[in-house]
Amino acid sequence: MPVSVTVKAIIEVRNGRCNVSCRRDDVLMRIDNEWARAELASFLKLTELYSPPDPPGVFTVTSRLSNRGGEPEIVASAQIVEQILDRVLPRWRTEVPDDRNKRVNRWCQHREAAQRADAVLLRDAEVRERLGDDAPQLSAAAMHRWVWDGARSLWGSGHFREAVTAAARKVNAETQNKVSRRDVSETALFQSVFSKDAAKPGQPRLRLMADDNSDTFRSVHRGAMSFAEGCFAGIRNPNSHEDGLPELPEHEALEQLAAFSVLARWVDSATVDNA
């Protein structure tokens, strides 16, 4: 899901705030809370462990435990529950211990994750209020779709630096698609599309506002060009070309994703000006 990390600032972009959820509870509000908690409760009931009774006339001494539900039922329920967990606790596969899966029961990790997710759905707002940290938060899943589509799979496995790189590639590719160009990419591409000069044959421009020959028009497009250059030169290139870099902390990677989300939203909302 939604991956939410507290940040101390709200990203401001042209025409006000960007369309990024800035609070974790915004993410949770998009979930049907009652339905999700019911699915988690059903799964927990199906995977509850108990000692099966001995057959009539048979006495055994064993520590074998069984799940209340049958395996087909549990597997079907797990298919839904995993999607809920991915939304509420996106890193549950790596952060919730799985060592008891082989020793006790294959569903132990799922059960603990389901219990944690239920607590989040039930008491998240209360916990943040009581702990006194109700700062704005960003959800990666609420960022521009190009960014999250590019980053999603790598982010879920904790490969944050690679996830940012994948998001950058996705934004570059979608920008190329929008202006129908393959001859330039990344910094050179954005220098061209956001150029204040008139479009030329084979070199369309992206316009964030009408060209009224105003200082605002020039400022907006100069800023977009510089911002894009900073994203690729300062974020994408070091992440991709420097060997042996340590993994990015999650909150830093989220900030970098947010930068590409701003750029993606500008590109997506811009009009194409052809010669």
Side-chain angles (χ1 to χ4, degrees), residues 39-82:
E39 291 292 333
L40 294 173
S42 176
F43 176 78
L44 290 171
K45 184 175 181 180
L46 289 170
T47 55
E48 181 183 358
L49 295 174
Y50 76 110
S51 297
D54 294 328
V58 177
F59 177 76
T60 59
V61 179
T62 179
S63 59
R64 182 176 64 87
L65 298 174
S66 298
N67 297 116
R68 292 286 182 187
E71 193 69 7
E73 288 180 288
I74 296 174
V75 169
S77 178
Q79 176 67 21
I80 304 302
V81 165
E82 286 177 356

Side-chain angles (χ1 to χ4, degrees), residues 12-57:
E12 300 286 342
V13 299
R14 183 177 58 89
N15 294 331
R17 294 184 182 182
C18 65
N19 186 23
V20 174
S21 271
C22 291
R23 297 175 61 88
R24 182 180 180 187
D25 50 354
D26 287 342
V27 173
L28 297 180
M29 284 173 62
R30 290 196 296 275
I31 297 175
D32 185 330
N33 195 293
E34 184 176 349
W35 168 82
R37 294 194 64 215
E39 291 292 333
L40 294 173
S42 176
F43 176 78
L44 290 171
K45 184 175 181 180
L46 289 170
T47 55
E48 181 183 358
L49 295 174
Y50 76 110
S51 297
D54 294 328

Side-chain angles (χ1 to χ4, degrees), residues 41-271:
S42 176
F43 176 78
L44 290 171
K45 184 175 181 180
L46 289 170
T47 55
E48 181 183 358
L49 295 174
Y50 76 110
S51 297
D54 294 328
V58 177
F59 177 76
T60 59
V61 179
T62 179
S63 59
R64 182 176 64 87
L65 298 174
S66 298
N67 297 116
R68 292 286 182 187
E71 193 69 7
E73 288 180 288
I74 296 174
V75 169
S77 178
Q79 176 67 21
I80 304 302
V81 165
E82 286 177 356
Q83 296 181 62
I84 296 172
L85 296 178
D86 288 343
R87 293 287 304 276
V88 181
L89 300 173
R91 296 181 61 193
W92 67 274
R93 289 180 173 83
T94 55
E95 291 187 344
V96 177
D98 63 357
D99 55 296
R100 299 178 67 236
N101 284 11
K102 292 183 178 180
R103 293 188 293 105
V104 180
N105 184 266
R106 66 170 290 192
W107 300 108
C108 284
Q109 183 188 34
H110 280 69
R111 281 183 58 81
E112 182 175 338
Q115 291 165 341
R116 294 188 187 190
D118 187 63
V120 170
L121 291 169
L122 178 63
R123 306 190 67 183
D124 178 72
E126 174 195 350
V127 168
R128 288 187 293 104
E129 179 182 355
R130 297 291 185 182
L131 292 179
D133 186 5
D134 200 24
Q137 298 183 349
L138 286 177
S139 164
M143 292 183 188
H144 193 279
R145 64 187 185 280
W146 297 345
V147 168
W148 187 231
D149 286 350
R152 184 196 305 269
S153 61
L154 288 163
W155 192 279
S157 59
H159 295 87
F160 302 126
R161 193 179 295 280
E162 292 180 47
V164 173
T165 299
R169 287 198 298 266
K170 178 71 170 175
V171 173
N172 177 76
E174 294 293 348
T175 304
Q176 289 180 318
N177 290 340
K178 181 153 186 166
V179 296
S180 301
R181 294 192 67 178
R182 295 293 184 276
D183 56 318
V184 290
S185 64
E186 300 189 352
T187 299
L189 172 67
F190 288 95
Q191 287 174 339
S192 177
V193 298
F194 285 131
S195 170
K196 302 184 293 297
D197 297 337
K200 301 176 182 178
Q203 297 182 28
R205 309 301 187 204
L206 292 179
R207 294 304 181 220
L208 302 173
M209 61 177 288
D211 185 356
D212 56 1
N213 198 34
S214 66
D215 288 341
T216 300
F217 171 83
R218 288 186 286 272
S219 176
V220 163
H221 291 85
R222 183 178 66 250
M225 182 193 299
S226 298
F227 185 79
E229 183 177 358
C231 286
F232 283 93
I235 297 176
R236 189 264 196 244
N237 289 350
N239 281 345
S240 304
H241 301 153
E242 295 292 332
D243 295 331
L245 289 176
E247 184 55 83
L248 276 176
E250 185 174 6
H251 70 278
E252 290 185 20
L254 187 67
E255 292 166 357
Q256 294 184 5
L257 279 187
F260 280 102
S261 181
V262 171
L263 179 59
R265 206 169 300 280
W266 285 346
V267 172
D268 196 19
S269 64
T271 58

